Amino acid sequence: MFKAVPVCAGCGSWSGLTVSCSKCCKICCIACLNGSELLCRKCQNEPSDVSTTTGKTERPGQSVDLCPIHSKLYSIYCYNCNETICGTCVEPEQPHDSHYICSLNVVYRESVAKIEANLTAAGKLHAELQTHTAKYRRNLELLEKELSGGLGRIDALAESSRMHMSRSLTARKKSVEEKMEIPVLYGAVLENFRRKTDRLSKKEFMQQFAELSVESNELTKIPMDLELQEVEDVGCELISPYQLKKIINEGFSKAEIDKRVSFSLETTYGVQWDCHLTKANMLQIEPIPNDETIFQFIHELVVIIDHPDYSQSIRKVFQLDKANGSIFDVEEVTRIVDHGYCNKDGDLIICIGIRPANALIEKRLLKHLLEEMPQITQKLFSIIKGYVDEYYYSIQHYQIMPSVFRIDRIVECPKIYDVNSCSWRFKIIRYTRSTVGVHLKSSKSSATCRAFMEIKYNNNKAITRRCSLQYFGPKDYDRPLHTFDKLDELDNEDTLLLLRYGVRVLPDAPS
């Protein structure tokens, strides 16, 4: 790309506009160039390739356009306007006067070279992609094989579960169907016996009385077990059975509205649920897991209320997840009370069970619980460690009323005795509205111990505060064991200060 320069290589004159020769690329003024072909005087006199001198660098089948202004062949490319122009377009007072220009043939060759380079690179990429075709074909075969195998395994598992469920329920159904035929068969036997006795004369009746007595006695016995088959304990590989718990809501029929009964329920893998039964217009149940993250795993809740007439028994199934909430209406209280669902004492017996919706959810639940296990183990270890640490302590509890615990007031806690029968007394001194100090003294001047003190509120508004000392001896008697601050509930008349303290004897004082 060139811009006009003042010196012409042909005539050596100064010019306001110079252009490079399209053949030798020397800088010349417009007067020294062939306007249409952009050739200097020297190149004009030399024989040249027709395509170069005429500007015909078109490829076969390519059309030839003329400048719409001067009706001349395009021979120059203007970089300012990004368009092809003829030689006359760059002359003074023409549209492209003083623009950055270059020979169209040069620009065209460079542009074609760039495209060809890209096409060459694309050809290499195409060849490389073709080498992956075999890999893709093999990959596709493996995916199809895995899909077929996976679906086959799923079908096999479903079929196994279906067969297991079918065998289990078919046997129970057969038992129930046999029991359904008992009244018909029993009625036929009874009718035959009546007809038999009716046809006998008095003499024949008395002669056969012993035999008739045995037969009639057999008719008074139940021919087979009439127990109903269980339904909720049915399960398979894909659906676990319910783990039912029987709840007795005592005095339900006479209980006041909004009375609430709470109980806990343990389900699969030890998941704990806090359940609440509320007597409102509807009998409501609210199951809440101890860990709220359990709600992300869909569970099913079954509530069963038996009735003396089995056909009137209530059986409701609910889906437990965040979308459905956690409070469910079981049945109208008036129906339960007025239609014989309570026993003679007014108690309501309910069976409740919770299970994961299916095996996939149960697997996800197990994975979640296993991931939570390290945290649970660490927490349990801390609790056990606390019990072990306090095993040799003598421990006492005490509570202080706010009304007697004023600033500068000293409260003496009950004495506590260590294993050597040495007594220790904790004293609590209130320094300010929210600060208290703990002092400790022994009945023996040489006694040493390890001591601790815990303080918390009875309303659980504050986290338990605890202090402990590795060693406490005679020289520490006049110093506070510990100072508790930020006890902002001390002036609350409804708040009790709960103390838990202990001592553990030490054999010798440190030197």
Side-chain angles (χ1 to χ4, degrees):
M1 181 176 67
F2 302 96
K3 184 176 175 64
V5 293
V7 180
C8 174
C11 63
S13 63
W14 294 80
S15 175
L17 177 64
T18 56
V19 183
S20 63
C21 174
S22 62
K23 186 174 182 180
C24 66
C25 296
K26 291 182 178 180
I27 304 301
C28 301
C29 64
I30 294 298
C32 293
L33 288 175
N34 181 316
S36 61
E37 299 176 358
L38 291 183
L39 295 175
C40 65
R41 292 177 179 177
K42 181 179 179 181
C43 293
Q44 291 176 24
N45 297 325
E46 294 178 355
S48 59
D49 181 50
V50 176
S51 64
T52 303
T53 58
T54 62
K56 295 181 180 180
T57 58
E58 295 83 6
R59 288 176 287 183
Q62 190 174 18
S63 63
V64 178
D65 295 327
L66 299 178
C67 174
I69 300 175
H70 305 103
S71 298
K72 294 182 179 181
L73 290 174
Y74 290 126
S75 58
I76 300 174
Y77 185 80
C78 177
Y79 282 103
N80 289 62
C81 303
N82 291 323
E83 62 178 348
T84 55
I85 58 178
C86 69
T88 307
C89 290
V90 298
E91 293 179 357
E93 298 183 359
Q94 292 298 317
H96 299 274
D97 180 19
S98 300
H99 285 193
Y100 286 93
I101 61 175
C102 188
S103 169
L104 177 59
N105 291 338
V106 174
V107 176
Y108 180 75
R109 285 195 297 269
E110 291 176 352
S111 300
V112 170
K114 290 180 181 179
I115 298 299
E116 292 295 339
N118 288 338
L119 291 177
T120 301
K124 292 180 180 179
L125 178 60
H126 179 238
E128 182 181 352
L129 292 175
Q130 286 182 321
T131 62
H132 287 270
T133 302
K135 298 179 182 178
Y136 296 146
R137 185 178 295 108
R138 176 58 177 167
N139 190 215
L140 181 60
E141 291 175 356
L142 292 176
L143 290 173
E144 291 177 345
K145 182 178 180 180
E146 187 61 28
L147 174 61
S148 176
L151 293 177
R153 288 189 291 272
I154 292 174
D155 291 340
L157 177 59
E159 182 62 24
S160 173
S161 299
R162 190 180 295 110
M163 292 297 295
H164 178 86
M165 184 77 76
S166 177
R167 284 194 298 268
S168 175
L169 292 181
T170 298
R172 299 188 187 194
K173 287 173 60 181
K174 183 178 180 181
S175 174
V176 174
E177 289 169 353
E178 291 175 352
K179 293 174 182 178
M180 289 179 65
E181 296 177 359
I182 291 176
V184 178
L185 297 176
Y186 184 80
V189 173
L190 182 59
E191 182 63 25
N192 290 335
F193 183 81
R194 289 183 182 278
R195 291 177 180 176
K196 177 181 177 180
T197 56
D198 290 343
R199 289 196 300 266
L200 296 176
S201 64
K202 293 181 180 180
K203 180 179 180 180
E204 291 173 335
F205 183 87
M206 295 308 299
Q207 289 176 343
Q208 301 178 25
F209 176 75
E211 181 181 346
L212 294 174
S213 178
V214 173
E215 291 183 19
S216 63
N217 188 48
E218 290 295 325
L219 289 174
T220 62
K221 298 178 181 179
I222 298 177
M224 62 185 303
D225 179 20
L226 299 181
E227 289 293 327
L228 298 173
Q229 294 292 327
E230 292 292 338
V231 177
E232 282 67 33
D233 64 343
V234 176
C236 63
E237 294 91 338
L238 298 180
I239 302 176
S240 299
Y242 285 107
Q243 299 178 13
L244 295 178
K245 182 174 183 178
K246 182 179 290 187
I247 305 299
I248 301 177
N249 194 334
E250 297 181 354
F252 178 83
S253 61
K254 299 180 181 179
E256 297 179 354
I257 295 296
D258 294 332
K259 180 184 177 182
R260 195 180 198 190
V261 175
S262 301
F263 59 93
S264 62
L265 182 65
E266 182 175 322
T267 60
T268 306
Y269 305 121
V271 175
Q272 295 288 333
W273 297 75
D274 294 328
C275 301
H276 309 284
L277 284 170
T278 304
K279 179 183 178 182
N281 292 331
M282 300 287 292
L283 174 62
Q284 296 178 329
I285 184 169
E286 180 182 13
I288 302 175
N290 286 352
D291 180 3
E292 290 190 358
T293 59
I294 298 298
F295 267 133
Q296 64 184 300
F297 308 100
I298 299 175
H299 283 66
E300 290 180 347
L301 164 69
V302 63
V303 180
I304 304 170
I305 304 177
D306 288 330
H307 190 274
D309 179 0
Y310 184 76
S311 62
Q312 299 296 319
S313 297
I314 298 172
R315 184 182 188 275
K316 297 288 183 70
V317 179
F318 307 97
Q319 183 170 294
L320 302 180
D321 58 18
K322 289 185 177 180
N324 293 323
S326 58
I327 300 178
F328 303 95
D329 294 334
V330 179
E331 188 56 68
E332 293 182 358
V333 170
T334 53
R335 182 191 173 195
I336 295 174
V337 174
D338 298 339
H339 291 77
Y341 288 91
C342 298
N343 61 20
K344 62 180 181 179
D345 296 324
D347 302 336
L348 181 63
I349 301 176
I350 306 174
C351 288
I352 297 173
I354 299 177
R355 69 181 179 188
N358 53 55
L360 179 60
I361 292 177
E362 186 174 340
K363 178 182 177 181
R364 292 174 180 170
L365 171 63
L366 177 59
K367 181 180 178 182
H368 169 76
L369 295 175
L370 291 176
E371 290 173 349
E372 294 288 326
M373 191 62 69
Q375 300 178 11
I376 298 174
T377 303
Q378 184 177 2
K379 183 177 180 180
L380 182 61
F381 177 77
S382 300
I383 295 174
I384 295 175
K385 185 176 182 298
Y387 284 126
V388 172
D389 289 343
E390 295 181 0
Y391 180 76
Y392 295 103
Y393 277 88
S394 299
I395 298 176
Q396 182 71 275
H397 294 80
Y398 189 59
Q399 62 185 28
I400 300 176
M401 299 288 292
S403 58
V404 299
F405 197 39
R406 304 302 180 188
I407 295 178
D408 295 332
R409 181 74 179 271
I410 299 176
V411 176
E412 293 188 354
C413 300
K415 292 181 180 180
I416 188 171
Y417 293 87
D418 60 29
V419 294
N420 293 333
S421 300
C422 175
S423 66
W424 297 82
R425 185 181 292 278
F426 285 82
K427 295 182 179 181
I428 311 298
I429 304 175
R430 185 174 180 183
Y431 298 137
T432 65
R433 293 186 60 185
S434 61
T435 305
V436 299
V438 180
H439 292 254
L440 178 62
K441 192 171 184 178
S442 171
S443 60
K444 295 182 180 179
S445 59
S446 61
T448 60
C449 76
R450 179 179 178 178
F452 78 88
M453 167 70 76
E454 288 180 356
I455 295 180
K456 67 177 181 179
Y457 300 130
N458 65 322
N459 56 12
N460 294 321
K461 289 185 178 180
I463 300 175
T464 300
R465 311 288 184 87
R466 179 187 174 101
C467 70
S468 62
L469 285 182
Q470 292 288 343
Y471 168 77
F472 189 83
K475 65 179 182 179
D476 301 306
Y477 287 172
D478 296 328
R479 296 188 303 170
L481 173 68
H482 186 74
T483 299
F484 293 94
D485 57 6
K486 298 181 180 180
L487 300 175
D488 300 326
E489 296 284 328
L490 291 180
D491 289 330
N492 189 340
E493 295 295 333
D494 297 327
T495 301
L496 290 177
L497 202 61
L498 305 181
L499 308 181
R500 180 174 177 268
Y501 51 94
V503 294
R504 190 180 77 182
V505 66
L506 296 177
D508 298 305
S511 57

